[in-house]
Amino acid sequence: MRPSAAPSEVAVWRGALQLAGEGFDQITARIHEFHRAISDQPFRTLDTLPALGRGALPVRVLHDGITDGVYGTIRLTGAALFGTAGAAHAVMRE
């Protein structure tokens, strides 16, 4: 059995940037889920009261749309930044 070669410094940094990007994406997704779980509680309570539940529906739709958009933008921005950093590092090291 032949010993494997040590990864190059470029490969290590590229892997670290990829791991950091994936970690950022996963953490942001979990925070979004946590935010939604908290915000769903009062809306579920209002749903038990028919008049209030119907009245709160536009607020819930607006809230959910805004938070989905914000967290989606954060995740896309993070992916773009980590992807660009990885690409820039690869270009600078070649």
Side-chain angles (χ1 to χ4, degrees):
M1 189 166 163
R2 187 172 51 135
S4 62
S8 70
E9 184 179 340
V10 173
V12 170
W13 277 103
R14 189 175 298 134
L17 285 169
Q18 183 179 3
L19 180 62
E22 290 174 11
F24 178 85
D25 183 64
Q26 290 298 313
I27 289 169
T28 304
R30 297 303 78 78
I31 292 170
H32 183 197
E33 291 169 1
F34 189 62
H35 181 142
R36 181 59 67 85
I38 292 170
S39 68
D40 282 349
Q41 289 178 353
F43 289 122
R44 274 195 302 271
T45 301
L46 290 172
D47 286 344
T48 63
L49 307 166
L52 292 177
R54 283 191 300 275
L57 184 60
V59 175
R60 183 179 197 165
V61 170
L62 185 62
H63 171 272
D64 291 350
I66 290 170
T67 55
D68 290 351
V70 168
Y71 284 106
T73 300
I74 291 169
R75 290 177 74 185
L76 286 173
T77 302
L81 289 174
F82 282 104
T84 301
H89 184 267
V91 168
M92 290 183 342
R93 298 295 295 181
E94 289 179 358

